[in-house]
Amino acid sequence: MRVLVIGGDGYCGWATALYLSNRGHDVAILDSLVRRHWDAQLQVNTLTPIAPIQQRLQRWHDLTGKTIDLFIGDICDYSFLINSLQQFKPDAIVHFGEQRSAPFSMIDREHAVLTQSNNVIGNLNILYAIKEELPDCHLVKLGTMGEYGTPNIDIEEGYITIEHNGRKDTLPYPKQPGSFYHLSKVHDSHNIQFACKVWGLRATDLNQGIVYGVLTEETGMDELLINRLDYDGVFGTALNRFCIQAAIGHPLTVYGAGGQTRGLLDIRDTVRCIEIAVNNPAEAGEFRVFNQFTELFSIADLAHKVKEAGAAIGLKVEINSIDNPRVELEEHYFNAKNTKLIDLGLQPHYLSDSLLDSLLNFATKYKGRVDANEILPKVKWK
Ligand code: NAD
Ligand code: USQ
């Protein structure tokens, strides 16, 4: 299949583009490289030294003989997007290309507006471009488990059947997102659902949990193919951050009570989930929702796991509960379904001692690049 990976220079997108290329798909990457620019503006950097995208792709070609086409530009620029689609003619578009940090979106008004305009308009442009140019193309869109928030009932995959005053209907699952970023994903989901209904587009919304890990078969092939690994207080995510904190001897930063529970998955499962979605397209007019995570953990559980895994390789790891910069429940019920991707063949890589060991060793290898001033959170929700 011809697959366009939008956001293919980023953490999930880079691993996915190489994985799909390795499995014989014709892959192109479209990316504005704006994430590298945001890092520079915030003066933060990935733990790993990532090469420029052109060098990455040249290396991939030299190693495997496979070519990945490159379109550099912004999906908010509609004529650029249309030109890229006309040239590449994808069967599927995998859309990772958004501002994805909750803290970034909560810095101030400008960052909230930037997040929502970048994400909502970019996604809306993709919907129009598919309708105008490639009405049969399958959109595989990265959403987030955070669209649901933390309701006191089980979380279904996208839809819930409700009986009310003697009548019954299956409706979109209620959304209670916890940041302007997470809200942008809810707005995207509504727009995609509407486009499927009125124009007959086919789309899969992947409500992904927090991704951890850095190595996939492909990104581990060569230093020039290395993936980004964020650890700073804006772009770093819970488990990855904890491993890097452990490696430099920084106490693990559990926000508040640590009972916040989330769905998580290994990046090796992210790439496989995308392949599964691409290989099994939604029907015309169908808006399909999959919950893309493999296990549930509380933040305190994750910190304890990193502490134990650290001890096993001689690291003395402390856990610190610090004032929570966010507004969120710190103890709550959380039980989300995740059977649809498993039914289609996903065989999860569950969080194991060997994964933690490898991530801790990886973090130790690059710890000289860590700026310890960027570990503590600086963005507050209030
Ligand atoms: P990332 O920041 O590493 O990558 C995103 C990429 O998209 C960057 O390379 C950036 O330059 C590009 N991009 C952003 N806006 C663009 C635009 N307007 N036009 C073209 N390119 C643009 O993020 P990531 O961690 O790889 O996340 C990818 C997607 O997966 C996001 O949509 C995110 O919401 C979702 N997701 C990520 C996680 C996670 O834990 N990382 C979890 C759940 C969902
Ligand atoms: N947290 C800590 N300590 C830290 C970092 C985070 O206690 O050092 C807590 C947060 O308060 C929150 C939870 O851990 O309760 C998750 O925070 P996170 O920064 O790991 O993840 P989040 O902000 O939710 O965002 C990340 C990605 C986002 C994706 C989302 C999936 O950046 O793109 O959408 O995970 S989910 O969490 O399922 O919504």
Side-chain angles (χ1 to χ4, degrees), residues 316-331:
K316 192 171 171 315
V317 182
E318 267 179 58
I319 299 177
N320 244 6
S321 168
I322 61 176
D323 276 352
N324 195 339
R326 306 186 183 198
V327 177
E328 60 184 359
L329 294 181
E330 293 175 6
E331 298 287 355

Side-chain angles (χ1 to χ4, degrees), residues 8-9 13-14 17-18 21 27-31 33 36 51-72 224-226:
D9 188 46
W14 176 240
L18 296 190
S21 171
V27 177
I29 284 176
L30 185 157
D31 202 299
L33 311 182
R36 293 179 187 244
I53 182 75
Q54 296 83 353
Q55 267 186 39
R56 287 174 137 185
L57 293 178
Q58 184 60 50
R59 190 61 171 170
W60 179 245
H61 179 72
D62 294 345
L63 279 173
T64 64
K66 295 174 193 297
T67 302
I68 296 181
D69 292 340
L70 177 63
F71 299 91
I72 295 183
L224 274 181
L225 301 180
I226 204 166

Side-chain angles (χ1 to χ4, degrees), residues 11-218:
Y11 173 56
C12 300
W14 176 240
T16 300
L18 296 190
Y19 180 84
L20 294 176
S21 171
N22 214 15
R23 262 146 203 80
H25 294 286
D26 275 332
V27 177
I29 284 176
L30 185 157
D31 202 299
S32 62
L33 311 182
V34 68
R35 179 56 213 284
R36 293 179 187 244
H37 172 68
W38 291 328
D39 282 1
Q41 274 187 331
L42 294 175
Q43 299 183 21
V44 299
N45 209 342
T46 142
L47 175 78
T48 44
I50 54 171
I53 182 75
Q54 296 83 353
Q55 267 186 39
R56 287 174 137 185
L57 293 178
Q58 184 60 50
R59 190 61 171 170
W60 179 245
H61 179 72
D62 294 345
L63 279 173
T64 64
K66 295 174 193 297
T67 302
I68 296 181
D69 292 340
L70 177 63
F71 299 91
I72 295 183
D74 187 338
I75 53 172
C76 296
D77 173 350
Y78 191 64
S79 52
F80 158 76
L81 176 62
I82 287 284
N83 287 338
S84 311
L85 294 189
Q86 283 170 343
Q87 270 184 59
F88 187 66
K89 295 192 175 36
D91 302 306
I93 294 178
V94 181
H95 178 24
F96 290 106
E98 299 203 326
Q99 192 304 97
R100 70 107 176 118
S101 154
F104 184 99
S105 76
M106 300 300 289
I107 293 175
D108 55 16
R109 188 195 64 84
E110 279 77 10
H111 289 80
V113 170
L114 187 165
T115 299
Q116 293 211 352
S117 55
N118 183 67
N119 295 2
V120 177
I121 295 170
N123 184 64
L124 190 53
N125 276 347
I126 293 173
L127 294 173
Y128 265 96
I130 293 177
K131 170 186 178 262
E132 299 296 334
E133 297 295 325
L134 302 157
D136 214 32
C137 178
H138 175 208
L139 174 63
V140 177
K141 165 69 169 50
L142 271 292
T144 175
M145 284 301 293
E147 292 185 37
Y148 302 117
T150 52
N152 200 29
I153 57 171
D154 293 348
I155 296 175
E156 305 298 321
E157 298 199 61
Y159 298 90
I160 184 168
T161 302
I162 297 178
E163 268 191 64
H164 180 63
N165 293 346
R167 299 183 64 81
K168 195 169 161 184
D169 203 353
T170 298
L171 300 167
Y173 195 94
K175 308 288 170 69
Q176 303 184 78
S179 72
F180 285 120
Y181 152 70
H182 288 97
L183 274 154
S184 75
K185 294 287 195 186
V186 174
H187 305 328
D188 288 345
S189 295
H190 287 147
N191 286 343
I192 301 169
Q193 182 171 28
F194 182 75
C196 290
K197 189 168 74 181
V198 298
W199 299 332
L201 303 194
R202 49 181 90 230
T204 304
D205 204 0
L206 296 172
N207 284 341
Q208 186 170 237
I210 304 169
V211 184
Y212 60 80
V214 63
L215 285 174
T216 56
E217 186 188 327
E218 293 78 18

Side-chain angles (χ1 to χ4, degrees), residues 273-310:
C273 289
I274 303 293
E275 182 188 30
I276 289 173
V278 165
N279 286 347
N280 298 278
E283 299 296 326
E286 186 187 10
F287 175 66
R288 197 170 58 165
V289 184
F290 296 162
N291 291 346
Q292 182 169 314
F293 68 91
T294 59
E295 289 175 283
L296 301 175
F297 293 105
S298 76
I299 297 301
D301 283 345
L302 293 176
H304 285 291
K305 282 183 181 297
V306 171
K307 184 179 167 125
E308 275 172 25

